[in-house]
Amino acid sequence: MFGQLLEEVSSLDSKLFRSFRAFLFSPGLLAYEHWRGARKPYLKPVTLFLIVNVIYFLVSPITDFALPLNNQAIQPYGAWVTKVIDGYVASSGESFDQVAARYDALTQVVAKSIVIVSVPFLVPFVWICSPFRRFYLLDHTVFALHHYAFVLIWPVAASGIGYSLHALGLEAFLPGWTNAALLFLPLYAYGVVGVKRAYGGGWIGALLKGIVLFVGVAVSHFIYRLIQFWVVWWQVT
């Protein structure tokens, strides 16, 4: 049994490596294979998502999914939660820093546990890209799981590229928008290629659908942040 496990993990043709190869370098392929019924050779979509989830929170230096309390005010829902925070500070007698210390310690744990709640809010945007009857809710959910997994994993790669540019002294020669382009353009391109491969259609349509997916990720991400705030806030207060 140990030998079989070692072979499965180390083999370049194992489910793990086969799935991640398709996930990283062939956007939309896993969703397409799932739709046509070729599911056995690959990891289950939720399994792959959870593995990526763990990688993100162990490796990525970007804390975009675990915002500290002092960053809540600048979110789209900031005016609402600021009133809640100020009201609690005024009534409890605690300082903002005391509340923030408890909040920031817990938000790291909660963020690792509930990031998957972002996926259902992305599904409607995936459906908008291909509202055809031959694709079911499950198909759109699988695509959303893989797409959001890339949203998690790409910042890890982008931060590594950014660190390499800094170490080589090239960062000073690049324009100020380089980091933003390095982070966001591949996310858009992944969506464009993925939606074309998974759902078919032409490139012009795929470019437009890529914008829909990009907006969908932003919307679902801010909804996730709001949910995360309330989950953490209820526990620390």
Side-chain angles (χ1 to χ4, degrees), residues 22-30 143 189-191 193-198:
F23 165 63
L24 293 174
F25 303 111
S26 300
L29 178 62
L30 291 178
F143 183 92
Y190 190 89
V193 177
V195 78
K196 185 180 187 304
R197 178 175 281 122

Side-chain angles (χ1 to χ4, degrees), residues 207-227:
L207 291 171
L208 296 176
K209 293 173 183 178
I211 297 174
V212 174
L213 289 177
F214 196 87
V215 172
V217 169
V219 171
S220 61
H221 186 52
F222 283 118
I223 294 175
Y224 156 79
R225 285 181 174 180
L226 180 58
I227 294 173

Side-chain angles (χ1 to χ4, degrees), residues 8 14-16 18-19 29-48 134-140 142-143 146:
E8 177 66 20
S14 71
K15 274 189 178 182
L16 181 66
R18 190 184 308 117
S19 299
L29 178 62
L30 291 178
Y32 175 77
E33 293 287 84
H34 189 278
W35 171 72
R36 76 181 187 89
R39 304 172 185 180
K40 191 174 181 179
Y42 304 102
L43 293 175
K44 294 180 179 179
V46 174
T47 302
L48 188 145
R134 64 180 178 139
F135 298 111
Y136 296 96
L137 177 62
L138 177 62
D139 302 317
H140 301 316
V142 168
F143 183 92
H146 292 142

Side-chain angles (χ1 to χ4, degrees), residues 75-119:
Q75 303 306 308
Y77 52 83
W80 177 26
V81 300
T82 297
K83 292 180 181 178
V84 175
I85 297 169
D86 292 345
Y88 177 80
V89 170
S91 62
S92 67
E94 295 184 81
S95 68
F96 178 87
D97 291 338
Q98 289 175 315
V99 180
R102 297 201 309 274
Y103 182 96
D104 295 350
L106 184 58
T107 193
Q108 297 289 337
V109 178
V110 172
K112 297 175 185 178
S113 307
I114 70 167
V115 67
I116 198 170
V117 304
S118 305
V119 175

Side-chain angles (χ1 to χ4, degrees), residues 4-198:
Q4 290 176 357
L5 175 63
L6 183 63
E7 182 181 358
E8 177 66 20
V9 172
S10 61
S11 173
L12 292 178
D13 197 40
S14 71
K15 274 189 178 182
L16 181 66
F17 285 96
R18 190 184 308 117
S19 299
F20 268 85
R21 184 169 62 238
F23 165 63
L24 293 174
F25 303 111
S26 300
L29 178 62
L30 291 178
Y32 175 77
E33 293 287 84
H34 189 278
W35 171 72
R36 76 181 187 89
R39 304 172 185 180
K40 191 174 181 179
Y42 304 102
L43 293 175
K44 294 180 179 179
V46 174
T47 302
L48 188 145
F49 182 91
L50 294 177
I51 292 174
V52 171
N53 190 354
V54 171
I55 293 173
Y56 175 86
F57 283 102
L58 286 178
V59 180
S60 179
I62 301 175
T63 59
D64 207 52
F65 287 85
L67 289 181
L69 188 62
N70 60 6
N71 278 4
Q72 297 295 334
I74 61 175
Q75 303 306 308
Y77 52 83
W80 177 26
V81 300
T82 297
K83 292 180 181 178
V84 175
I85 297 169
D86 292 345
Y88 177 80
V89 170
S91 62
S92 67
E94 295 184 81
S95 68
F96 178 87
D97 291 338
Q98 289 175 315
V99 180
R102 297 201 309 274
Y103 182 96
D104 295 350
L106 184 58
T107 193
Q108 297 289 337
V109 178
V110 172
K112 297 175 185 178
S113 307
I114 70 167
V115 67
I116 198 170
V117 304
S118 305
V119 175
F121 299 104
L122 178 60
V123 171
F125 292 89
V126 178
W127 174 82
I128 289 173
C129 292
S130 298
F132 306 115
R133 290 192 175 185
R134 64 180 178 139
F135 298 111
Y136 296 96
L137 177 62
L138 177 62
D139 302 317
H140 301 316
T141 303
V142 168
F143 183 92
L145 277 165
H146 292 142
H147 188 71
Y148 212 94
F150 188 77
V151 172
L152 285 174
I153 203 68
W154 176 247
V156 178
S159 62
I161 296 172
Y163 178 80
S164 300
L165 293 175
H166 178 75
L168 294 173
L170 300 176
E171 194 175 34
F173 300 98
L174 298 174
W177 47 264
T178 300
N179 289 335
L182 180 63
L183 180 61
F184 293 119
L185 284 180
L187 295 180
Y188 170 70
Y190 190 89
V192 170
V193 177
V195 78
K196 185 180 187 304
R197 178 175 281 122

